[in-house]
Amino acid sequence: RPTPSAMMKRRGTFGGPLQQQQQQPRAQYVPRAAAAELAVAGPRRDYAPCWESLDARPLPQWYNDAKFGIFIHWGVYAVPAFAVHKRGGAEWYLRKLQEPSRDDGATREHHASTYGHGYPYESFVPQFTAGSWDPNAWADLFKQAGAKYVVLTSKHHDGFCLWPSATHPGWNAADCGPKRDLVGELAAAVRSRGMKFGLYYSLLEWNHDINDQKRVLRPEVVAADVRDIVIRYRPSVLWFDGDWGRPTSFWQLLPLLAWLYNESPVRDEIVVNDRLGQGCSGAHGDFFNGRDRFLAESALAHKWECCMTIGSSWGHNRNLSKACYKQPLEVIELLAEVTARNGNLLLNVGPSCDGCIIEEERAVLTGVGEWLAHMWYPAIFDTRPWSLAPVRTRDLVLYTTPKGERAGVVVYGIALEKGAGTEDQPVVVLAQVPPPTAVRAGPCAVHFAVSGDTVSVHFTQPVDFPLVLELTYGVPQKPR
């Protein structure tokens, strides 16, 4: 297998361009532990490779029901694990070495003082060991958090692949570093616990200058990679990134999407985001996620996703203080906001190079899971936005309703804080809503009063927020 010095010669200091090399074919592979969990695809579809046809494909229901997923940014960048707070994530370490103006030279200065000037990025690979990694422990943590799907970075912008990629020999986790199929092992662990598995894939690589036609990641490489990971691992989510600066046609993505929807083994359940080239954000794709950390101000008709970090970095960053990380309550409120507005929350963790999830991120996942398990599960999962919910940019109460026959008959009001009353006897104010026939709040004793279009729910004891109210109506209301 290539040594770090050999990789440096091939790619160049700070991730220079790849030289032409012979590619060795690899056998197709599906992890045995995951194979039994894979559903058999239905009949072949007939979507044409054009937006008019592809956009007509119905959203697979599982994604609309799932609401909460885990994003994982993991790769060679977890070795230096450095970024200045709010100056980009640690996963952009290589690019900041190449373009020091991105953070006023802070990363390059850190790199020179810590590792030596000219120390190649490729020399981090042997330290990316995953030596303490237990994919089953990760999957247990994600399951405990209440997540329904998990999305792993199969290849970030540095081009390093977490699977045995035939297009990147000597630059993948099976050939060097961990010398393991990280994608395959995690896919098996996630599926064995009843969660869906998805993959992130970058359309660009910093080792291929996007401004140089001769060195940009070629369409045939993208097609080969995508077909490879889809056939090997059967992802339910394909999460594209790095599409800026080029149209969809450059990567020939329309024929690739038609293959995904018509012929691939995941044609019935795969969902694809909207980072598919210039002009696609918010216009095409099974779900929209636009820019990072996007949060819709009201319910959108088209399914969308908020991808969010727990700290300020997507990749593991040892340079962050504890104050830079969100608290469980912040993420719980965010999950409620996103769900009530027809979105999913994809919450990111950035594991260390040896495969550990830091305590600050573990605490958030555990806290979210405890809140969901405390009777609030029905208010989030398998729900839809309530069509009669007030439209405001900042809500003290957020509304969802179950899908199916109970839609509009039962409505969940997720109260983020009290609207009136005292700490001992708080009052939740539901403004601009029709009066319900009954209100419940789990085991808490409540009574409610109606005045015009305002419902006041009175508690007779102190309660912890956020909490969920269950409103019952005699006449069903249709969800969005």
Side-chain angles (χ1 to χ4, degrees):
R1 299 184 187 279
T3 63
S5 60
M7 287 189 292
M8 181 181 69
K9 291 177 183 177
R10 186 176 71 241
R11 301 180 71 85
T13 301
F14 296 162
L18 280 166
Q19 296 178 355
Q20 289 185 349
Q21 57 187 322
Q22 185 176 1
Q23 297 176 0
Q24 300 299 320
R26 297 180 182 273
Q28 297 299 327
Y29 162 78
V30 175
R32 285 179 294 175
E37 305 294 330
L38 301 176
V40 177
R44 186 191 183 282
R45 309 301 179 185
D46 194 26
Y47 293 102
C50 63
W51 285 128
E52 183 179 7
S53 180
L54 297 173
D55 287 344
R57 177 181 183 252
L59 178 72
Q61 182 170 292
W62 79 264
Y63 185 78
N64 208 9
D65 295 340
K67 309 303 179 187
F68 182 36
I70 302 295
F71 211 0
I72 308 169
H73 276 69
W74 197 29
V76 175
Y77 43 82
V79 175
F82 175 86
V84 176
H85 181 50
K86 294 187 177 180
R87 293 303 302 272
E91 71 287 349
W92 277 62
Y93 190 91
L94 172 58
R95 197 55 168 168
K96 293 171 192 173
L97 292 180
Q98 297 170 333
E99 296 182 3
S101 61
R102 288 183 173 271
D103 64 351
D104 297 326
T107 295
R108 181 170 283 194
E109 180 180 345
H110 165 82
H111 187 84
S113 63
T114 306
Y115 307 105
H117 180 72
Y119 184 88
Y121 183 78
E122 291 75 17
S123 290
F124 289 129
V125 173
Q127 302 167 66
F128 179 50
T129 64
S132 300
W133 182 49
D134 181 354
N136 291 300
W138 279 18
D140 286 337
L141 176 63
F142 304 152
K143 182 74 172 179
Q144 180 186 3
K148 300 299 184 183
Y149 61 105
V150 176
V151 178
L152 172 68
T153 50
S154 68
K155 178 178 75 70
H156 203 257
H157 307 324
D158 63 359
F160 189 85
C161 301
L162 301 192
W163 87 98
S165 169
T167 64
H168 295 70
W171 195 237
N172 67 74
D175 285 350
C176 51
K179 298 183 180 178
R180 297 166 66 174
D181 180 3
L182 304 181
V183 173
E185 291 186 46
L186 186 61
V190 165
R191 287 198 179 99
S192 69
R193 285 153 179 82
M195 295 177 285
K196 301 284 188 181
F197 182 71
L199 288 171
Y200 164 111
Y201 179 85
S202 174
L203 291 166
L204 68 82
E205 295 179 10
W206 290 318
N207 298 314
H208 303 82
D209 187 347
I210 198 165
N211 296 313
D212 185 344
Q213 282 277 88
K214 296 179 181 178
R215 292 165 55 195
V216 73
L217 194 60
R218 300 183 304 278
E220 59 268 26
V221 175
V222 172
D225 280 350
V226 169
R227 286 173 180 266
D228 187 21
I229 58 177
V230 166
I231 292 171
R232 284 178 188 254
Y233 307 114
R234 314 289 177 90
S236 300
V237 180
L238 188 55
W239 212 101
F240 285 110
D241 195 15
D243 64 322
W244 51 85
R246 297 286 180 185
T248 304
S249 58
F250 178 82
W251 288 289
Q252 300 174 16
L253 292 181
L254 291 179
L256 192 58
L257 291 173
W259 174 79
L260 281 172
Y261 295 163
N262 292 332
E263 302 177 50
S264 80
V266 289
R267 55 185 174 269
D268 294 333
E269 72 171 40
I270 195 166
V271 292
V272 179
N273 64 336
D274 61 351
R275 299 186 182 186
L276 301 166
Q278 293 173 328
C280 290
S281 179
H284 305 294
D286 297 307
F287 63 94
F288 300 158
N289 54 18
R291 65 186 183 274
D292 292 346
R293 303 179 180 88
F294 169 72
L295 178 61
E297 294 185 347
S298 59
L300 301 183
H302 193 89
K303 191 67 181 181
W304 63 280
E305 179 187 77
C306 171
C307 57
M308 180 63 68
T309 53
I310 295 176
S312 61
S313 176
W314 299 96
H316 179 50
N317 186 2
R318 287 193 297 266
N319 197 42
L320 294 183
S321 67
K322 290 184 180 293
C324 297
Y325 291 90
K326 294 178 178 62
Q327 296 301 307
L329 183 60
E330 296 176 74
V331 177
I332 290 166
E333 292 185 356
L334 178 62
L335 176 59
E337 287 186 85
V338 171
T339 301
R341 296 169 190 171
N342 199 32
N344 283 11
L345 174 62
L346 188 63
L347 186 66
N348 183 78
V349 296
S352 65
C353 59
D354 61 353
C356 297
I357 297 174
I358 61 174
E359 182 55 39
E360 289 82 357
E361 293 178 338
R362 296 179 66 89
V364 168
L365 297 184
T366 300
V368 172
E370 289 175 350
W371 183 82
L372 287 171
H374 187 63
M375 300 173 297
W376 311 142
Y377 186 101
I380 299 294
F381 300 107
D382 298 332
T383 63
R384 303 292 184 263
W386 187 35
S387 61
L388 297 185
V391 178
R392 290 193 296 263
T393 56
R394 175 59 181 161
D395 304 274
L396 295 181
V397 183
L398 300 152
Y399 298 91
T400 63
T401 188
K403 68 176 185 178
E405 294 180 357
R406 300 176 68 216
V409 175
V410 173
V411 173
Y412 298 107
I414 306 171
L416 303 183
E417 57 186 80
K418 69 181 181 67
T422 65
E423 294 298 324
D424 291 334
Q425 293 185 324
V427 177
V428 174
V429 178
L430 313 179
Q432 301 176 30
V433 299
T437 57
V439 178
R440 295 177 61 248
C444 301
V446 298
H447 64 274
F448 69 97
V450 178
S451 176
D453 64 353
T454 300
V455 179
S456 300
V457 182
H458 298 257
F459 289 80
T460 59
Q461 63 191 64
V463 292
D464 294 326
F465 290 90
L467 59 78
V468 175
L469 302 171
E470 184 180 301
L471 316 178
T472 303
Y473 289 89
V475 179
Q477 306 291 331
K478 293 183 178 181
R480 292 182 192 274

